[in-house]
Amino acid sequence: MSRPVILIIGADDIFQTVAKAGFTTTDKIEDVPVNRAIIIDLRNVDIAEAQILLEELRNIKSQKHLQIYGWTEPNASLNQYEIFKFDGLLNEETPLSYIKARLESASRIAAMSREAMTRFNTLAQFGAQAKPSYNAHQIPPKILIYGAPGPDNMRITAILDHLGILCVAAFSSFSAFEYLHNGGFDAVIVFAHDDKAGAISFCSALRRNSRLFHIPCLLLVNSDFGNFEDAILKGATDVDFIGVSEENSIIRLMTHIDEKRRRDALKMAFRLAKSDKAIDRASGLYNFAFFKSHLNALINEAINFKEQVCIIEITIHVAPQHNPNLEIPDDKRLSVINQIGSMIARLVRTEDTAARITLNRFAIILPFSDKITAFNAGQRICAVLESSAFDIGVSDEAAMAEAKFEISEVTDKKNLETVMLKFAS
């Protein structure tokens, strides 16, 4: 995804901090693309006026997918800001890695929301439901608390119980991961106590797990812990001191839970984004007719919001693994290409649209993404395809894929006409 542009309504120090985190900043809402974030300075402002501003920003139709963050004093009690329903709260002491992760995540969720609307509008032309529900589920949150038992754990559990949150305790990493793999958890709270290395190792293991990497992880540490930045870079979502500002930590954790639920709901919506008339049955990807219609709608929308879209075109050739003189039967070759199409569907991001263009050509639309993002994605996908072997039913021989990709980048109407002409037939 291209680097987000962040709208800041506030003082110069916020601009400087956000810029250090690697983002472009602006104070003009017309400069902010549709899938970016806003930060509002809440220091020394009238709460009623801030509430009006927040509601006005929420009601701007073209910007309704933006996520809005509040900027507070470092020692502020976050309870006073609950009425605002911000997507998160930051301050001058927030680690830069935390700010970077939150704003990038905000941009990703907003892009997913925008793409979901556009995709379902296109699918409506192919007989699908135009406006499916993809709201986050409303059941009470469920949090796993990991760490050696003690009064700190009990105090946090009591706070969560009071909020109506279901808590499950795990005293070893083995039991923690067993609980997590059984599913249903919205977040994890890890107590470091005196085992700093073990706690960070647990957070890192969580991020490396393909099923659990998206679960928010709050790391609570002793006062001598050291660098919060390092812990966040190694896997913690948020870090705070034990017994100091735990209520604020929990409020922040609830915003992460809400973010996770929105992301999960959007992923479910994309899984439901199907219509028999829009799908290539052999590969499970979208067909060429849907691709053309959706590409036109998505690119026009991106141009209107001064965004860019990239298309990866992948061409597949099937060859024997060891014997270049071996003839692969046409039905086996087709079977391999169909399997490759199914693999591509699992290798793209949720918000990307993968389609079959011809027998051995596939295309992937990457909304709100730059050429670097597309190139890295193309390299990764083709590397996976070329390292996979496919059974062709001839003795012990297997087929291998030769995958080549090209990237088309659309930033204006001229690019759009060129790309649409390329995929016109």
Side-chain angles (χ1 to χ4, degrees), residues 138-158:
Q138 299 299 314
I139 63 174
K142 183 179 177 183
I143 295 177
L144 178 73
I145 299 178
Y146 167 63
D152 297 319
N153 307 46
M154 294 177 66
R155 185 175 61 255
I156 287 290
T157 300

Side-chain angles (χ1 to χ4, degrees), residues 384-405:
V384 172
L385 299 179
E386 291 183 336
S387 65
S388 301
F390 303 90
D391 180 27
I392 53 175
V394 180
S395 62
D396 294 327
E397 189 63 49
M400 302 297 291
E402 295 178 359
K404 306 296 181 185
F405 73 95

Side-chain angles (χ1 to χ4, degrees), residues 137-367:
H137 53 85
Q138 299 299 314
I139 63 174
K142 183 179 177 183
I143 295 177
L144 178 73
I145 299 178
Y146 167 63
D152 297 319
N153 307 46
M154 294 177 66
R155 185 175 61 255
I156 287 290
T157 300
I159 295 173
L160 295 173
D161 284 342
H162 180 71
L163 295 172
I165 298 170
L166 178 62
C167 302
V168 176
F171 304 131
S172 70
S173 60
F174 177 82
S175 60
F177 277 102
E178 185 175 22
Y179 282 132
L180 290 169
H181 278 292
N182 287 333
F185 286 93
D186 292 284
V188 181
I189 296 177
V190 178
F191 279 90
H193 293 303
D194 296 324
D195 186 11
K196 293 184 287 188
I200 291 180
S201 176
F202 180 89
C203 296
S204 298
L206 195 66
R207 293 292 165 254
R208 292 194 302 269
N209 190 295
S210 61
R211 290 178 56 192
L212 306 174
F213 72 93
H214 61 291
I215 295 179
C217 178
L218 168 62
L219 178 62
L220 295 176
V221 300
N222 291 332
S223 58
D224 62 347
F225 180 78
N227 191 353
F228 283 12
E229 288 273 0
D230 185 57
I232 292 172
L233 289 171
K234 290 182 178 177
T237 308
D238 193 7
V239 188
D240 212 338
F241 293 118
I242 297 172
V244 176
S245 55
E246 290 163 341
E247 289 191 0
N248 282 353
S249 301
I250 290 171
I251 291 172
R252 291 199 305 271
L253 184 61
M254 295 306 295
T255 66
H256 298 312
I257 289 173
D258 180 63
E259 181 181 287
K260 173 188 174 294
R261 287 186 165 196
R262 276 184 284 176
R263 184 184 290 109
D264 289 346
L266 282 164
K267 287 181 178 179
M268 178 60 70
F270 280 113
R271 283 197 288 271
L272 298 173
K274 304 291 183 183
S275 170
D276 288 343
K277 294 180 180 179
I279 299 297
D280 171 63
R281 293 185 179 182
S283 65
L285 299 177
Y286 290 109
N287 59 29
F288 184 45
F290 176 85
F291 170 82
K292 286 196 298 182
S293 182
H294 189 54
L295 178 63
N296 188 44
L298 187 60
I299 291 177
N300 273 306
E301 184 176 86
I303 290 173
N304 288 338
F305 289 109
K306 301 178 182 179
E307 273 286 4
Q308 57 193 38
V309 173
C310 284
I311 301 97
I312 304 172
E313 182 185 358
I314 300 176
T315 304
I316 302 294
H317 296 285
V318 179
Q321 185 175 18
H322 302 299
N323 184 0
N325 297 318
L326 179 68
E327 287 291 332
I328 301 177
D330 289 343
D331 61 332
K332 296 295 184 181
R333 189 183 303 275
L334 180 58
S335 175
V336 170
I337 294 174
N338 290 339
Q339 291 177 59
I340 288 171
S342 298
M343 289 179 65
I344 290 174
R346 296 190 295 271
L347 293 172
V348 299
R349 301 175 305 180
T350 306
E351 64 269 31
D352 297 335
T353 302
R356 189 174 198 161
I357 304 305
T358 63
L359 181 67
N360 68 330
R361 285 172 62 218
F362 302 92
I364 305 164
I365 308 173
L366 287 76

